[in-house]
Amino acid sequence: MKKPFVTQEQLQNIAAQYPTPFHLYDERGIRENARRLKAAFSWNPGFREYFAVKATPTPAILKLLREEGCGVDCSSLTELMMSERCGFGGEEIMFSSNDTPPEEFSMAHRLGATINLDDITHIDCLKETLGTLPETVSCRFNPGGVFSIGASKEGFQVMDNPGDAKYGFTRGQLFEGFRRLKELGVKYFGLHSFLASNTLSNEYYPTLAGILFQLAADLKRETGCHIRFINLSGGVGVPYRPEQTANDIFAIGEGVRRQYESILVPAGMGDVAIFTELGRFMLAPYGCLVTRAIHEKHTYKEYIGVDACAADLMRPAMYGAYHHITVMGKEDAPCDHIYDVTGCLCENNDKFAVDRALPRIDMGDLLVIHDTGAHGHAMGYNYNGRLRSAEILLREDGSTELIRRAETPEDYFATVVW
């Protein structure tokens, strides 16, 4: 059973101060999780987590993660600007974009960020934009085909289709690209790849690591390039459903270490730093969307209307994604009602839950929609003129801090030329 990180009494007090809906984040959980990740990879002296800004582009959260030793992975000009304003600079920033406008390469270079190229043609674009290439450049690898790990001991099968993804170099392009970059004066190299999303298997990262470590050894042998780091990117998931088992980050770190020692160390590459680029794993369980039941409808189905909508959390409408729901104060009540929990958009897919078994919901009840700390508020939008909600941080001492106010109609009209 999933339990909120906040009590009913706490939430009632918070909701009395801040109107629902709002996104709430757990400072203690975020910090403890960042420390677990760091400990799991402490065997690698150069390890660093580059938090994927796109998952939760909220300055207060980014600053908190920086205090825990994390860097940031940016994919746009505004994410670079936000990271700079939060105090990140130099090697604390990884810039991983695609179809990149030249001015974004310029901004990344000005900040001293490590640039992670998505395509072989971007080498010449980078040269034309900067004149002289940076000392360190990374490249993103796409092996093509279908990536799959059979049913693991966790009972979860990982499968994705890199061949359909728009990202990355082919293997042949990678070798050609490294040689070209070396000719242009690049001294140090990085390797990056992302093969599957939201995996619930302790085997995914070690399997990916084995692929990248062998590729790195081949690249060094055939091109002579000095590979300084390997970025395992994201893909380590979280259990959105209560019956799912969470990943064991220590088992994952140990699996990567075994691959490192069996492949890279014999290849004379025992100095390679390991980077991660996690978003969902770092933040999703430590954020929730708090909303209030405001309508009930009895037609062909039973509906509960809440004051949040897909403008606050797009994943259920966009992907059909499952997010667990707790009716506060009724955690132990029988789930003997079947509801669709809906928002107010003029779209039939604006539903947080479909045919969900829940306790009886009364008007005014507070509902916690779990695991929205990543790709939650970040994916908000203004369709139907709906305004995005506030973000609030629950501090370790139990106090709260408003870290992003709710949008107002003035914000919505601010860009209009009348």
Side-chain angles (χ1 to χ4, degrees), residues 216-276:
D218 294 344
L219 282 163
K220 179 189 176 185
R221 184 180 65 253
E222 296 186 28
T223 69
C225 291
H226 181 176
I227 297 174
R228 177 173 274 183
F229 68 84
I230 294 174
N231 187 338
L232 300 177
S233 188
V236 177
V238 299
Y240 285 100
R241 295 178 179 272
E243 68 272 16
Q244 293 173 324
T245 301
N247 285 310
D248 181 344
I249 197 61
F250 288 96
I252 290 170
E254 176 61 17
V256 173
R257 184 193 65 78
R258 288 195 296 268
Q259 295 279 36
Y260 190 99
E261 293 186 353
S262 66
I263 299 171
L264 289 182
V265 172
M269 301 175 69
D271 61 342
V272 172
I274 300 301
F275 297 159
T276 56

Side-chain angles (χ1 to χ4, degrees), residues 23-290:
H23 284 268
L24 182 67
Y25 302 92
D26 177 20
E27 179 186 14
R28 183 185 304 278
I30 294 168
R31 289 190 184 277
E32 290 178 351
N33 194 47
R35 292 168 189 172
R36 282 194 296 270
L37 175 66
K38 187 174 182 180
F41 284 88
S42 60
W43 54 266
N44 183 263
F47 173 76
R48 175 176 277 164
E49 155 64 11
Y50 286 86
F51 175 71
V53 174
K54 61 181 174 286
T56 315
T58 303
I61 301 295
L62 300 182
K63 291 176 183 178
L64 188 158
L65 289 171
R66 188 169 187 262
E67 291 174 4
E68 296 298 333
C70 298
V72 283
D73 180 86
C74 300
S75 58
S76 71
L77 187 70
T78 46
E79 288 184 358
L80 287 167
M81 294 170 66
M82 179 180 289
S83 298
E84 180 184 28
R85 293 186 186 188
C86 290
F88 294 92
E91 292 185 353
E92 291 179 318
I93 304 174
M94 185 79 62
F95 181 60
S96 303
S97 65
N98 64 94
D99 195 21
T100 307
E103 60 269 22
E104 300 193 0
F105 283 138
S106 296
M107 175 72 167
H109 184 59
R110 181 180 71 76
L111 295 179
T114 300
I115 294 174
N116 184 32
L117 296 177
D118 181 67
D119 181 63
I120 193 169
T121 65
H122 292 180
I123 296 173
D124 287 336
C125 177
L126 193 64
K127 177 69 168 63
E128 292 167 8
T129 302
L130 302 182
T132 301
L133 292 189
E135 194 174 64
T136 301
V137 174
S138 177
C139 295
R140 182 170 186 166
F141 173 56
N142 184 331
V146 175
F147 172 78
S148 178
I149 301 176
S152 67
K153 63 186 178 182
E154 295 88 9
F156 187 88
Q157 184 174 19
V158 176
M159 180 173 290
D160 220 318
N161 191 352
D164 279 347
K166 67 176 183 176
Y167 308 107
F169 291 59
T170 67
R171 181 181 174 92
Q173 289 172 342
L174 202 60
F175 282 79
E176 179 185 348
F178 269 48
R179 292 187 179 100
R180 171 79 171 137
L181 287 165
K182 189 177 181 183
E183 290 171 1
L184 291 172
V186 174
K187 295 181 181 179
Y188 306 109
F189 293 79
L191 192 58
H192 171 283
S193 192
F194 175 88
L195 299 185
S197 179
N198 195 41
T199 63
L200 287 180
S201 169
N202 295 334
E203 298 173 17
Y204 168 64
Y205 244 21
T207 300
L208 171 61
I211 293 169
L212 290 182
F213 293 170
Q214 188 56 60
L215 177 60
D218 294 344
L219 282 163
K220 179 189 176 185
R221 184 180 65 253
E222 296 186 28
T223 69
C225 291
H226 181 176
I227 297 174
R228 177 173 274 183
F229 68 84
I230 294 174
N231 187 338
L232 300 177
S233 188
V236 177
V238 299
Y240 285 100
R241 295 178 179 272
E243 68 272 16
Q244 293 173 324
T245 301
N247 285 310
D248 181 344
I249 197 61
F250 288 96
I252 290 170
E254 176 61 17
V256 173
R257 184 193 65 78
R258 288 195 296 268
Q259 295 279 36
Y260 190 99
E261 293 186 353
S262 66
I263 299 171
L264 289 182
V265 172
M269 301 175 69
D271 61 342
V272 172
I274 300 301
F275 297 159
T276 56
E277 180 192 305
L278 300 169
R280 195 187 317 260
F281 176 82
M282 296 297 292
L283 260 295
Y286 311 107
C288 62
L289 174 59
V290 180

Side-chain angles (χ1 to χ4, degrees), residues 1-37:
M1 177 63 68
K2 280 183 174 287
K3 294 184 179 180
F5 54 77
V6 61
T7 66
Q8 182 188 16
E9 182 181 1
Q10 283 179 302
L11 199 55
Q12 286 174 334
N13 290 334
I14 296 169
Q17 184 176 2
Y18 305 104
T20 56
F22 54 79
H23 284 268
L24 182 67
Y25 302 92
D26 177 20
E27 179 186 14
R28 183 185 304 278
I30 294 168
R31 289 190 184 277
E32 290 178 351
N33 194 47
R35 292 168 189 172
R36 282 194 296 270
L37 175 66

